Structures are given as C-alpha cells and as structure tokens.
C-alpha cells in the first residue's frame, strides 16, 4: 500500500486533533471524578413544616426528587411502568415520561422546561419547573427563588425591619414578623446571621445603611437554601435575642464598650446560636412559663438525618431511615388519639441537636420524644437524660447543658408510663438514663426511645406491624398521661 | 491513510490514559475505605512491671446490656496518674479480645489520663477508639460508663470526668454518647447501678 505525502500529512493532522480531543476528554473526566463541589440544597417553607432537600445536577441543570419534595406535605405514592412514572399526591395524579419535557397533571399538560429523569424509581424534575408544576399538585400558589434554592409554599414569608437605636454606643435592632433562630458567626468587621429554616424574605432594598460609624450598614442575601443577613461593623458586636425570638439586637460587646474611647480592634466573637443567641433558650422559657403558647402537644424527633446516618443497621439500612418511619408511625398513632404532634425531621434533612432542642423548647411541647434504632440488644430501651456535671443556673437563667433538670421527674414519669404500655405488649423493655443530647437541653419532659429487634433479625425494624406495636404503646402511654404532662410549664 | 505506527501510538496513549483513570479511581476508593485498617496499633508506652494490686474493673456486656464488676490483679505503678492509665489499659485489654462481651475496634487505646485537682479526671483515648466504635445509644453508653465508673471507683476523689479523643473535644463517641461535657461521677455511679441490675 502506498500513501501519498499529502494524505499522510492530512491524516497526521486529523488523527492528532482526534487524539488531543480524546486526551482532553480523559483529563476532564479524571478532574470531574476527583473534584466534587459542595452539595446544593433546596429549602422548602410551608405552613406545615420546613425542610431541606439535596439538589442533583443533570445536564447542567438543577433537579429535585418530586416524591421527596411532596412527601412531607401529604400522602404520596409513585409507580414506575417502563419509561412512565405515575405519581400521586393526595388525590392528584401526575404522569411523567423519561426524557420528555412535558408531563400530564390531572390530564392537563405541564411544561417541565427540561427532560424528566427516572433513576431507581425516583422521578427527578427540574427545579426551575417547580414554580409552575407544584401549584397543579398543591392547588395553591408557590414562590420559587430558583437561584437561591428556596421554595415558599403558601403565605409563609417572614419579614423584618432594621433600625438603629439612638443609644451610646449604638445598637442595631432587627424586628421579625415571626420568631427566628439563625446561626450567628462573626469575623473582623462582620456579623453574619444565617437563616436556614426561616422563610425570611428580602426587604425593599437588599442594602440597608444606618449612618453610624460603628454599624454603618447591613446586607440581605440568599444562597444555597438560606437567607443571610450580614451586619458590617467597625467594632466587635454580638447578637442577643428577645421578644420570643422576634427581636435581634446587634450591640457592641462588653470589651468594645469598655474600650469605646480607644481605637477599635476588630476581633472574632462567636455566639453559639443554641445558647446565648438562642431565641428560645431556657432562660426565656423559664421566665415566661406563665405565658406558655403551645402549638403541638408532642414533638417527635427522628434522630440523625442528612449526613448523619446514625448506626448502619445493615448494608442497606441506616438508622436515620428507620427513625423517620418510626416518627411518622408515632405521629399517626398520637394524632389518632387527639394529640397534636410535630415531627421535627420528616425528610432526610440535616438538623443539629441544638436546633432540635430549640424547636421543641420554642413550642413548649408537653413531651419531647427522640427516636433511635439499634441492631444490638433486644426490644426497646427508654431513656431519660443523664445530666452532665454541674449546674450553672443563675437566678431565672437556666444552664443550657442542664436545662432538663427541672423536668427530670416528669420525664421519668413519662418513661415509666411508656415502659408499662410496652410491657403489656410482651416486648422486652428497660429504662435507663443516658448521656444523649438533646435530652439534657430540653426544658420540658423529654425521653428517648431506642428500638432494637426482638430477635436477631434487623429487618424487623422496618416491619410496619412491629413499628406500630411500639408506637401504639408509646402513644397510649402519652395519651393516658396527657393531663399530667399538659400541666407542665 | 494514516500511518500504522501513528495508529499504534495513539492506541497506546489512549490505553494508558484509560488505565491511569481506572487506577486513579481505584486508589481513591481504596484511600476512603482503609482508614481503620491503617490505624497504628503499636503500643504507646512500655508495659508496666512491678508489684501487682487487686482492682475492680466494670465490664460491659452487649448481650444483656449490663455492666458487671470483675476483680483483676494487675501491675500498678506508684504514681496516681499512671495507676489510672494502667487501670484503663487493663480494661481495654479485655475489650480488645475478640471473645470479649463488648468488643472494641482494633487499635483502640488510652493515650493518657490526666488527674487535675480538685477532682477532675481527663481520659484521652486515641482516634481508633472512637472511629472504630460501634454506634448505638446503649453500646456507647456501656463503654463510657465502664471507663468512668472503673476509674472513679478505683481512684478516690474524682468528681467529674472528661473524655477527649486524640487530645481534642468531640461531640459524641460514635453518634450518640455525648462527649462534649464533663461526666458527673455520682450520676454515672447511679447509672452503673442501673446497668448492673
């Protein structure tokens, strides 16, 4: 075979270009495999509950699981039929097809703005489509802040005003239309409040100026499922909460006030949101015991969640999944007995123990029940708090770490009642104290229940009849002690 | 037409790129999967020799979720702090045995114990102790109670105990038992009584 020099030259160039393309693709592939960015989240705010979901990237666009999105809001079910995915939310039916950009909801077409994905029976829809798609299912308006990953269902916005008090040194006062509990962080010249669970919305202008040298301005921004208020200051400042979490006052720290005449040296001052900057800290609840406003009688907490998987009960079963199932079952059992119940974690969301305590304390719930699952041992363990060393209560202000102290006897009463009911059902049960947060941070009666299989088969933990047997016993015990628990401050 | 040697060269390059990619993936998985295996299990201190003493160890039992007292004759140094360390190492040697009723992960060890007056004990365990510990309220509680009760019952004057991991504070032992605060020895004593029933 004879090749001409021209053909050879063209061939060289062509193959060389191809080779470089392939090599570049390989390099890009390797880079992609080694560098994963931070996970994006969609925060959902509704009247019933607030929660957060992970956002998946498909073809360069943001996607979210529709079933996971609507599950905390109502009854959902899904059925996969080859390339079709039939989804029911309460009585509304939707039909989606793999790769199609249009779906049918109640027989009417809906534009998704991108192809529908079906992965392991999970239906993924573009986040951008939620603004038009969800009203079809929910029958009401939703407000999507797509770039920030925030979804408001119904009228759930929290607004705020900011004003500079004419004190010396100056104080910046934020007033919110609903209680808030942001995480607070500081760095030199900046105090940042991050609102992950509050449906906080922007003021008329995102930049607020105050004409003060000490606290010249504040900015509102949104991103990755949270709203952020950034206060710019030239002196170290601290955030304090009052008015049941509706007012946040930004004021100079004691050292900054003492050194008011000297040049300010910006220093980092961190305020633990669950303690000092906590709108519902034990201090405020202690002083307002006479004015208890309770929305839910029982707060049920599905322990772990999100990145915290809890115990790996088997290769495929994580504790965090069992606790959610138990929590839903317990809510159903309690509500069927007329007990209003809030499930703190009703999805695969990250929730710190401080946040869990804050929500339950804020509600002044008559009983807090944390749920755990375990593969070791047999039956059920009911725990009350093992308090850490020392009590730093000062006057009406209770120590965060031993906040449970005043309610411990009532917690033990509740635990005793639960044990009695479980024993009646012939399930092995025992009562113990445990160094298990957030039991010690609760201002009201609080227990934790750890469910293990009766035998050695961990699969029993997911069996609905076993779950109902236990949650039914717990609900019966709580209902029987309703008056005693309800009288607790 | 394309020269044959060029085709071969490109083929070799592609194969090399693919091979390296697969190797990189394999290495990445291996690195995330082996932290426990790479734990340094070498002893931190030389074994203690000298006169032995009878002490009481509180041994956890996972089967029935209890704590039981067990006498042991172990060599004890004269220093109060070293005695506390030896006590806990004797306890851990039981838990590191595969036939133990409450097995701890390979490489679990007590780095040191600090006794600070008045009445404070700080137990510093290594990262293998916590990283390989099984997760669960009861199983973690048994470990913590066993450590705290053994040291407080054999070392008079301890009122509170703090547990550190690798010299640092840690929120929980393995997702449940709180390590962020000081354990109240009297409260743990009561818990130990509950666990011995």
């Amino acid at each position: 075979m004879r090749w001409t020099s021209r053909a050879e030259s063209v061939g060289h160039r062509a193959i060389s270009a191809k080779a470089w393309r392939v090599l570049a693709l390989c390099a890009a592939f390797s880079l992609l495999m080694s560098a994963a960015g931070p996970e994006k989240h969609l925060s959902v705010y509704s009247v019933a509950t607030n929660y957060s979901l992970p956002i998946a990237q498909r073809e360069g666009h943001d996607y979210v699981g529709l079933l996971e999105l609507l599950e905390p809001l109502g009854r959902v079910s899904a059925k996969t039929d080859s390339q079709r995915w039939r989804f029911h939310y309460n009585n509304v039916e939707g039909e989606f097809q793999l790769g199609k950009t249009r779906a049918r909801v109640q027989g009417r077409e809906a534009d998704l703005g991108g192809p529908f994905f079906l992965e392991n029976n999970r239906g993924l829809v573009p986040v951008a489509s939620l603004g038009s798609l969800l009203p079809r299912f929910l029958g009401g308006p939703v407000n999507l802040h797509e770039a920030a990953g925030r979804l408001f269902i119904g009228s759930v916005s929290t607004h705020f005003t900011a004003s500079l008090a004419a004190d010396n040194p100056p104080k910046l006062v934020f007033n919110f239309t609903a209680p808030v509990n942001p995480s607070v962080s500081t760095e030199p010249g900046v105090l940042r409040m991050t609102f992950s669970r509050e449906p906080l919305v922007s003021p008329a202008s995102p930049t607020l100026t105050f004409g003060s040298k000490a606290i010249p301005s504040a900015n509102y921004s949104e991103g990755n499922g949270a709203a952020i208020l950034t206060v710019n200051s030239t002196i170290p400042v601290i955030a304090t909460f009052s008015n049941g979490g509706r007012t946040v006052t930004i004021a100079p720290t004691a050292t900054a006030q003492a050194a008011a005449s000297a040049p300010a040296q910006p220093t980092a001052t961190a305020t633990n949101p669950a303690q000092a900057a906590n709108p519902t800290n034990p201090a405020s609840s202690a002083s307002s015991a006479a004015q208890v406003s309770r929305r839910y009688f029982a707060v049920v907490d599905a322990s772990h969640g999100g990145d915290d998987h809890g115990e790996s009960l088997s290769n495929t079963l994580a504790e965090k999944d069992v606790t959610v199932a138990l929590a839903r079952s317990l809510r159903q059992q309690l509500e069927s007995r007329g007990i209003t119940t809030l499930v703190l974690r009703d999805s695969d969301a990250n929730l710190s123990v401080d946040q869990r305590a804050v929500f339950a304390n804020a509600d002044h719930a008559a009983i807090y029940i944390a749920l755990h699952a375990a593969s070791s041992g047999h039956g059920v363990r009911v725990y009350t708090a093992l308090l850490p060393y020392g009590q730093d209560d000062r006057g009406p202000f209770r120590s965060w770490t031993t906040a449970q102290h005043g309610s411990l006897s009532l917690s033990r009463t509740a635990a005793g009642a639960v044990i009695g009911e479980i024993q009646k059902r012939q399930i092995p049960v025992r009562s113990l104290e445990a160094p298990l947060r957030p039991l010690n941070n609760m201002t009201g009666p609080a227990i934790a229940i750890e469910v293990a299989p009766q035998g050695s088969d961990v699969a029993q933990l997911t069996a609905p009849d076993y779950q109902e047997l236990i949650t039914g016993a717990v609900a019966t015990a709580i209902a029987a002690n309703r008056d005693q628990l309800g009288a607790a401050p | 037409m394309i020269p044959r040697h060029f085709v071969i060269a490109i083929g070799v390059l592609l194969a090399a790129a693919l091979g390296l990619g697969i190797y990189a993936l394999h290495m990445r998985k291996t690195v995330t999967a082996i932290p426990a295996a790479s734990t340094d299990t070498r002893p931190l201190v030389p074994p203690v020799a000298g006169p032995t003493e009878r002490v009481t160890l509180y041994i956890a039992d996972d089967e029935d979720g209890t704590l039981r007292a067990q006498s042991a004759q172990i060599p004890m140094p004269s220093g109060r702090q070293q005695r506390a360390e030896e006590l806990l190492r004797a306890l851990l040697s039981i838990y590191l045995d595969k036939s133990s009723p409450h097995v701890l992960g390979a490489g679990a060890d007590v780095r040191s114990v600090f006794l600070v007056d008045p009445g404070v004990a700080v137990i510093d365990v290594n990262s293998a102790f916590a990283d390989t510990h099984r997760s669960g309220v009861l199983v973690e509680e048994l470990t913590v109670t066993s450590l705290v009760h053994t040291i407080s019952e054999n070392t008079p004057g301890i009122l509170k105990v703090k547990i550190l991991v690798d010299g640092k504070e840690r929120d929980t032992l393995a997702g449940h038992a709180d390590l962020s605060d000081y354990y109240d020895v009297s409260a743990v004593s009561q818990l130990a009584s509950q666990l011995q029933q």
Side-chain angles (χ1 to χ4, degrees):
Chain A
M1 186 177 287
R2 180 174 169 81
W3 292 331
T4 64
S5 61
R6 188 169 180 276
E8 190 172 325
S9 158
V10 170
H12 279 199
R13 275 202 297 273
I15 199 71
S16 172
K18 273 184 192 169
W20 280 115
R21 260 183 235 136
V22 171
L23 285 174
L25 276 173
C26 286
F29 174 71
S30 300
L31 271 175
L32 273 175
M33 294 307 292
S34 59
E39 192 177 39
K40 290 176 78 176
H41 284 90
L42 175 73
S43 288
V44 184
Y45 310 101
S46 74
V47 178
T49 181
N50 299 335
Y51 51 100
S52 174
L53 296 165
I55 287 177
Q57 285 279 317
R58 297 290 179 275
E59 297 186 352
H61 295 285
D62 290 341
Y63 276 76
V64 67
L66 188 59
L67 189 137
E68 294 89 323
L69 176 62
L70 291 177
E71 195 174 19
L73 303 174
R75 206 173 56 253
V76 293
S77 64
K79 192 177 173 187
T80 306
D81 179 14
S82 183
Q83 308 237 309
R84 285 179 196 280
W85 192 66
R86 288 177 199 279
F87 171 71
H88 281 88
Y89 171 77
N90 292 338
N91 295 322
V92 183
E93 186 193 40
E95 188 177 311
F96 299 80
Q97 200 166 346
L98 178 65
K100 299 286 183 190
T101 58
R102 300 185 79 79
R104 294 187 77 81
V105 181
Q106 290 293 76
R108 288 176 54 205
E109 281 211 333
D111 188 8
L112 299 178
F116 172 75
F117 284 94
L118 189 54
E119 296 174 358
N120 300 321
N121 295 331
R122 274 182 78 217
L124 299 178
V125 295
V127 170
S129 72
L130 297 178
S132 59
L133 186 65
L134 288 187
R136 303 275 194 93
F137 284 98
L138 299 168
V142 302
N143 187 4
L144 175 68
H145 296 193
E146 189 186 346
R150 303 180 81 213
L151 178 68
F152 300 76
I153 296 173
S155 303
V156 289
S157 311
T158 299
H159 299 269
F160 71 94
T161 59
S163 58
L164 200 71
D167 294 355
N168 189 19
K171 290 177 183 170
L172 178 59
V173 181
F174 288 99
N175 282 305
F176 297 85
T177 55
V180 294
N181 177 35
S183 61
V184 182
S185 63
T186 61
E187 53 187 84
V190 169
L191 182 143
R192 192 170 290 112
M193 293 185 284
T194 304
F195 301 80
S196 302
R197 296 190 62 86
E198 295 86 354
L200 195 68
V201 292
S202 171
S205 165
T207 303
L208 309 163
T209 52
F210 307 109
S212 161
K213 278 187 182 172
I215 306 176
S217 64
N219 301 84
Y220 174 92
S221 59
E222 289 184 345
N224 201 17
I228 300 159
L229 269 175
T230 308
V231 178
N232 303 305
S233 65
T234 55
I235 54 172
V237 290
I238 192 166
T240 52
F241 289 76
S242 56
N243 189 24
R246 285 182 164 81
T247 301
V248 180
T249 305
I250 310 296
T253 59
T255 49
Q257 290 183 38
S261 56
Q265 293 291 321
T267 54
T269 313
T271 309
N272 186 337
Q275 296 177 28
N278 186 339
T280 56
N281 71 16
S284 61
S285 60
S287 59
S288 61
Q291 311 158 18
V292 170
S293 60
R294 176 179 295 148
R295 283 193 301 156
Y296 297 97
F297 188 92
V299 170
V300 175
D301 186 2
S303 299
H304 311 289
D307 302 328
D308 174 10
H309 292 229
E311 184 189 354
S312 294
L313 300 166
S314 71
N315 289 338
T316 54
L317 188 62
E319 185 185 355
K320 66 172 184 175
D321 298 322
V322 175
T323 58
V324 166
L326 284 167
R328 289 175 184 159
S329 172
L330 182 54
R331 174 174 56 193
Q332 193 180 3
Q333 295 282 353
L334 286 166
E335 289 186 341
S336 69
R337 290 163 176 80
I339 294 174
T340 52
T341 306
L342 170 71
V343 171
L344 274 188
R345 184 175 71 80
D346 204 2
S347 63
D348 190 19
N350 281 306
L351 208 56
S352 72
V353 283
D354 282 330
Q355 285 174 315
R356 293 168 199 262
V358 164
F359 290 135
N361 286 339
D363 187 64
H364 302 287
I367 180 79
Y368 165 87
I369 305 166
L371 294 167
H372 289 267
S375 59
S376 61
H378 310 290
V380 178
R381 273 91 65 171
V382 183
Y383 299 100
T384 52
L386 177 79
L387 296 181
Y389 184 85
Q391 289 178 42
D392 301 324
D393 294 357
R394 288 175 192 170
F397 297 93
R398 287 190 216 166
S399 160
W400 179 250
T401 55
T402 56
Q404 171 66 186
H405 186 257
S407 300
L408 207 47
S409 63
L410 212 49
S411 299
R412 287 176 183 146
T413 303
V418 169
I419 285 166
E421 281 299 325
I422 292 175
Q423 277 172 337
K424 283 182 193 170
R425 286 156 176 80
Q426 313 290 321
I427 300 171
V429 61
R430 66 191 296 207
S431 172
L432 289 166
E433 291 179 353
L436 182 66
R437 290 194 69 204
L439 289 183
N440 56 312
N441 306 123
M442 309 304 303
T443 55
I447 59 172
I449 297 172
E450 187 177 38
V451 181
Q454 283 178 291
S456 57
D457 185 9
V458 176
Q460 191 184 23
L461 292 172
T462 57
D465 53 346
Y466 185 55
Q467 292 180 352
E468 281 167 24
L469 193 63
I470 291 163
T471 57
V474 175
T476 303
I478 300 301
N481 287 270
R482 188 190 319 226
D483 292 342
Q484 199 175 355
L485 292 168
Chain B
M1 296 296 286
I2 304 165
R4 195 162 173 234
H5 67 271
F6 211 95
V7 172
I8 292 168
I10 293 295
V12 168
L13 276 172
L14 276 175
L18 194 66
L20 279 171
I22 292 166
Y23 181 67
L25 268 177
H26 171 73
M27 289 301 288
R28 200 157 162 254
K29 277 181 192 162
T30 313
V31 166
T32 51
I34 58 164
S38 64
T39 304
D40 190 351
T41 56
R42 289 172 296 174
L44 296 171
V45 291
V48 173
T52 60
E53 264 181 48
R54 183 156 292 281
V55 294
T56 307
L57 306 177
Y58 292 87
I59 313 290
D61 189 331
D62 295 337
E63 179 55 30
D64 49 7
T66 56
L67 207 61
R68 60 183 165 78
Q70 179 178 305
S71 282
Q73 194 84 26
I74 59 170
M76 290 287 262
S78 56
R80 197 165 167 250
Q81 205 153 290
Q82 289 75 24
R83 290 168 67 89
E85 285 174 4
E86 282 314 308
L87 200 60
L88 294 188
R89 290 208 174 95
L91 184 66
L92 256 64
S93 68
I94 294 171
Y95 291 147
L96 289 171
D97 189 322
K98 280 178 185 165
S99 61
S100 162
H102 179 79
V103 180
L104 291 185
D109 201 359
V110 173
R111 293 174 80 218
S112 48
V113 176
F114 303 100
L115 297 179
V116 188
D117 284 328
V120 183
V122 180
I123 302 170
D124 183 14
V125 299
N126 66 358
S127 54
F129 186 103
D131 294 343
T132 61
H133 201 285
R134 287 163 297 145
S135 182
V137 182
L138 184 58
V139 77
E140 292 175 46
E141 176 173 55
L142 283 169
T143 299
V144 167
T145 310
S146 168
L147 288 180
V148 174
H149 198 51
T150 296
I151 195 172
S152 63
E153 283 294 295
N154 291 282
T155 316
I158 295 176
L159 301 173
K160 56 180 178 177
V161 177
K162 174 83 178 170
I163 298 175
L164 300 177
V165 178
D166 244 356
K168 301 185 190 87
E169 279 207 336
R170 183 160 159 146
D171 288 341
T172 62
L173 179 55
H176 297 88
D178 183 22
L179 298 187
S180 64
D181 275 305
Y182 282 89
Y183 279 92
D184 185 336
V185 163
S186 61
V188 173
S189 276
Q190 286 178 23
L191 173 61
S193 303
Q194 284 180 31
L195 287 167
Q196 287 177 73
Q197 288 167 6

